[in-house]
Amino acid sequence: MNVLIADDEQLVLEGLKCIIDWEDCGFTLCGTAVNGQDALDKILSLVPDLVLLDIRMPKMNGIEVVQAAVEAGFSGKFIILSGVSDFKLAQTAMRYGVDFYLTKPIDEDELEQSVRTVHDLIEKESRASRSYSQYRDRARDNILRDILLNTCDCRALDLQDLDLQAGIYQVITYGNYNQDTFYQEWNFSDLMRVTNQDNHSFDILEVEQRKVILLKGNFAIARFENMLQHYRAAPQKGSPFDSIFLTYGQPVSQIQDVHLSYQDVCQLEDRRFFCAQNQHVIGYDELHRHLSSTHLFSQDRAPEYAEAFSNYIQSHNPTLITGTLRELSAYLTGCVAEITDIKHFLIDIYILVKQKIMQAFPHADLPFLANASVIILVEEKYYLYEIIAFLAEQFEMWMHSVGYSSGENVLDEVLHYIRHNYRENLKLETLAPLFGYNSSYLGRLFTKKLDVNFNAYLDQVRIAKAKELLEDRSLKVYEIAEQVGYSNVDYFHRKFKKYEVTSPAEYRKKKGM
């Protein structure tokens, strides 16, 4: 604590500086004054914790100095020194807030005791003030929290006392843009370029584990709109803006409607998963657009997407893979579903495609990730675009591993596909689009190049595979029929006899002999 000593007698002034051990009493001498006006000026400029003041000084007496200082807002302590013992003078001094009135000559022990008492009193008041301030801040935070959660009666609040008088309010939440980087030392006032003395422009608090900012007034909201320009123009890498993700709710004009703006940001945080790459902010306008065009989510569509991706990978068609991934992303972005369910849906697609490729190429050494690794990888992703990019990377790698592309003859690619998918229900109408052709053209191409139509070529591939399987005497004929793509065993018999002029059983018998 600091002490200022004022006395017009230089000898007395020097004596007061060393009559007691000020440091041992908890004080540091911050200045001296030799008249009343000098004392008042230094009180207001130095703001000491304690003033040791002679009552009779030129220009202003001690009582006048105390009165003027108190009226100017000074809240420190005073000890008055007087050459006479005057009860009325002491009474006047005490009325103006003087703590001790000591008569000269000063008794060293009495002065030290008075100084120590003042020191303890200042400490006690300081603790009480800090405690009151802490309780008040805590109570105010709880009131703000209740306003956001719509659990308080706003009509009963003193908005002026709470510094909540504003014509407009808006709720923002902020957090890490990703797991890797976060700008720890950032100041929201600096970013918005506003002053926030006594929480005048905004309040910052934590609600339901969210870091929430309540903007108050047109000026603060206008500055926030200004700040958003940094995000819309893509923030500079490494800047505070680059490491923060913001959501903002609708502006409202009544304090009792602030919870609506908070509800917006809660819903927006769930939408964050669907943000585009390098998107650092999402607002209520985007939320309202989404709510007006949502559709139900169906886990049953995973096999449908897996079938398509498997076909495009094997037909070496990167354009259709990219287009279907884009369609998948749009479908999921418009769904009403939990993020966990969407991640599981994408994991299912990966595993189903992997199974189909493995089934079509059982002997190939393909670069597949273990299912457990894929589950962990997808679960840890922050954003949908990251998972879509992962699928694109995997599918492209598989396409180059199993696909066939001569770059010249599309028929070679079609034949390659048939030889690995003969067991499926292949039709010219569904096969042709995979390679960018219509079915009529591809049918004519088959007949022209191979002297057989599409169905005949497919039968030949299937019967050739059936002949290989018939050598395995552990397989039943109906099992072989299913494995080569014939669901009806009688139809398989007719086709086999057409091409081999014998039944499957007779063919096996001859092979055995």
Side-chain angles (χ1 to χ4, degrees):
M1 300 178 193
N2 291 322
V3 60
L4 174 74
I5 302 175
D7 198 298
D8 61 326
E9 296 183 47
Q10 190 64 39
L11 191 61
V12 175
L13 187 62
E14 292 300 321
L16 290 172
K17 287 163 64 176
C18 56
I19 188 172
I20 63 173
D21 187 341
W22 287 101
E23 287 193 8
D24 186 59
C25 293
F27 287 92
T28 299
L29 182 65
C30 68
T32 60
V34 294
N35 62 61
Q37 185 60 57
D38 186 26
L40 179 61
D41 292 343
K42 287 182 176 175
I43 287 170
L44 298 180
S45 62
L46 299 175
V47 195
D49 299 285
L50 170 63
V51 179
L52 193 62
L53 188 66
D54 186 21
I55 202 165
R56 297 195 184 281
M57 291 187 296
K59 297 188 179 182
M60 294 176 75
N61 66 41
I63 299 297
E64 290 171 335
V65 171
V66 172
Q67 183 181 1
V70 170
E71 287 175 354
F74 178 68
S75 59
K77 303 297 182 183
F78 290 96
I79 295 178
I80 289 284
L81 307 177
S82 176
V84 295
S85 179
D86 187 328
F87 177 73
K88 285 188 177 180
L89 206 58
Q91 199 175 35
T92 303
M94 296 300 179
R95 191 166 62 246
Y96 285 117
V98 172
D99 296 275
F100 287 93
Y101 184 93
L102 306 179
T103 57
K104 296 178 180 179
I106 301 301
D107 181 78
E108 180 183 334
D109 292 336
E110 185 182 15
L111 177 60
E112 182 174 336
Q113 183 60 44
S114 301
V115 170
R116 291 188 183 279
T117 301
V118 168
H119 181 276
D120 292 344
L121 182 61
I122 293 172
E123 273 199 335
K124 183 178 179 181
E125 289 177 354
S126 178
R127 284 196 299 271
S129 175
R130 285 196 303 271
S131 178
Y132 171 76
S133 178
Q134 287 169 357
Y135 279 118
R136 178 181 168 79
D137 290 346
R138 195 176 302 166
R140 187 173 180 279
D141 279 357
N142 284 333
I143 291 170
L144 288 173
R145 199 171 285 110
D146 289 342
I147 290 171
L148 291 166
L149 296 172
N150 197 25
T151 56
C152 78
D153 182 3
C154 295
R155 294 169 298 179
L157 300 176
D158 184 340
L159 298 183
Q160 185 173 358
D161 183 50
L162 293 165
D163 197 30
L164 290 173
Q165 280 186 312
I168 190 167
Y169 310 86
Q170 189 173 23
V171 177
I172 304 168
T173 61
Y174 68 95
N176 293 20
Y177 173 65
N178 57 37
Q179 306 102 310
D180 304 323
T181 58
F182 183 54
Y183 187 77
Q184 295 288 353
E185 302 299 327
W186 69 286
N187 184 301
F188 196 71
S189 297
D190 292 342
L191 292 182
M192 287 218 306
R193 296 181 183 174
V194 299
T195 57
N196 195 41
Q197 188 173 359
D198 299 323
N199 300 315
H200 176 70
S201 298
F202 60 85
D203 287 289
I204 298 180
L205 67 157
E206 191 163 309
V207 184
E208 299 177 320
Q209 297 183 325
R210 292 184 177 91
K211 293 172 181 176
V212 177
I213 299 165
L214 174 62
L215 298 180
K216 299 177 292 187
N218 285 312
F219 179 71
I221 291 175
R223 296 308 304 171
F224 177 66
E225 282 293 329
N226 244 5
M227 192 178 85
L228 287 180
Q229 299 306 318
H230 288 276
Y231 289 101
R232 293 182 180 126
Q236 183 180 355
K237 289 296 178 186
S239 71
F241 296 103
D242 187 43
S243 63
I244 300 168
F245 187 89
L246 291 175
T247 66
Y248 60 94
Q250 59 186 300
V252 296
S253 56
Q254 302 289 332
I255 193 70
Q256 57 265 31
D257 293 331
V258 166
H259 72 279
L260 298 175
S261 191
Y262 178 68
Q263 286 173 11
D264 284 347
V265 297
C266 293
Q267 290 179 285
L268 285 166
E269 286 192 356
D270 292 335
R271 299 295 306 160
R272 174 180 175 172
F273 176 72
F274 302 100
C275 286
Q277 190 170 6
N278 293 323
Q279 183 179 348
H280 286 71
V281 63
I282 182 171
Y284 66 95
D285 42 359
E286 190 166 335
L287 173 66
H288 295 164
R289 280 198 303 273
H290 164 71
L291 293 176
S292 64
S293 60
T294 55
H295 50 256
L296 294 176
F297 171 68
S298 174
Q299 193 82 31
D300 296 337
R301 292 197 63 183
E304 173 190 327
Y305 276 108
E307 179 74 24
F309 286 125
S310 173
N311 287 335
Y312 303 151
I313 288 167
Q314 294 183 66
S315 61
H316 204 273
N317 198 323
T319 303
L320 286 179
I321 291 175
T322 301
T324 307
L325 283 171
R326 194 180 298 118
E327 176 201 315
L328 173 62
S329 179
Y331 165 70
L332 293 175
T333 300
C335 282
V336 179
E338 296 292 328
I339 304 304
T340 303
D341 292 338
I342 288 176
K343 287 184 175 181
H344 290 169
F345 179 79
L346 293 165
I347 291 168
D348 285 347
I349 289 176
Y350 177 93
I351 292 173
L352 288 171
V353 175
K354 174 183 169 182
Q355 288 173 346
K356 288 178 178 296
I357 300 298
M358 289 175 68
Q359 186 178 24
F361 298 88
H363 305 298
D365 184 16
L366 299 173
F368 293 126
L369 291 176
N371 291 351
S373 300
V374 173
I375 292 169
I376 293 170
L377 187 147
V378 171
E379 291 284 7
E380 289 179 346
K381 294 297 183 186
Y382 257 32
Y383 299 102
L384 174 61
Y385 77 79
E386 294 176 313
I387 303 174
I388 295 296
F390 163 73
L391 292 179
E393 176 189 81
Q394 293 292 301
F395 293 166
E396 182 182 10
M397 188 162 51
W398 299 349
M399 180 182 68
H400 289 304
S401 298
V402 305
Y404 177 89
S405 179
S406 64
E408 298 174 359
N409 189 352
V410 68
L411 191 59
D412 291 339
E413 298 177 30
V414 176
L415 299 180
H416 176 79
Y417 183 90
I418 292 172
R419 285 194 293 271
H420 288 88
N421 291 274
Y422 56 84
R423 62 179 63 82
E424 305 295 335
N425 184 22
L426 298 182
K427 294 180 180 178
L428 195 59
E429 293 76 12
T430 55
L431 191 62
L434 296 178
F435 298 89
Y437 289 90
N438 65 50
S439 56
S440 298
Y441 175 82
L442 190 59
R444 289 197 299 272
L445 195 62
F446 250 96
T447 305
K448 181 179 179 182
K449 297 288 184 180
L450 303 177
D451 289 329
V452 292
N453 63 29
F454 169 79
N455 289 327
Y457 180 79
L458 178 59
D459 284 335
Q460 290 173 10
V461 172
R462 286 172 170 173
I463 297 304
K465 185 62 181 176
K467 287 163 64 179
E468 292 178 21
L469 295 176
L470 283 167
E471 295 183 21
D472 181 355
R473 305 188 71 83
S474 67
L475 290 173
K476 307 291 186 188
V477 171
Y478 73 86
E479 291 176 331
I480 293 171
E482 288 177 356
Q483 287 191 32
V484 297
Y486 295 109
S487 55
N488 185 303
V489 69
D490 292 333
Y491 185 67
F492 169 60
H493 270 272
R494 289 199 297 274
K495 287 290 182 181
F496 193 91
K497 199 162 187 178
K498 176 182 176 181
Y499 289 100
E500 298 299 322
V501 200
T502 184
S503 70
E506 289 170 346
Y507 177 85
R508 171 178 274 173
K509 186 176 179 181
K510 288 177 183 176
K511 277 288 181 182
M513 291 175 64

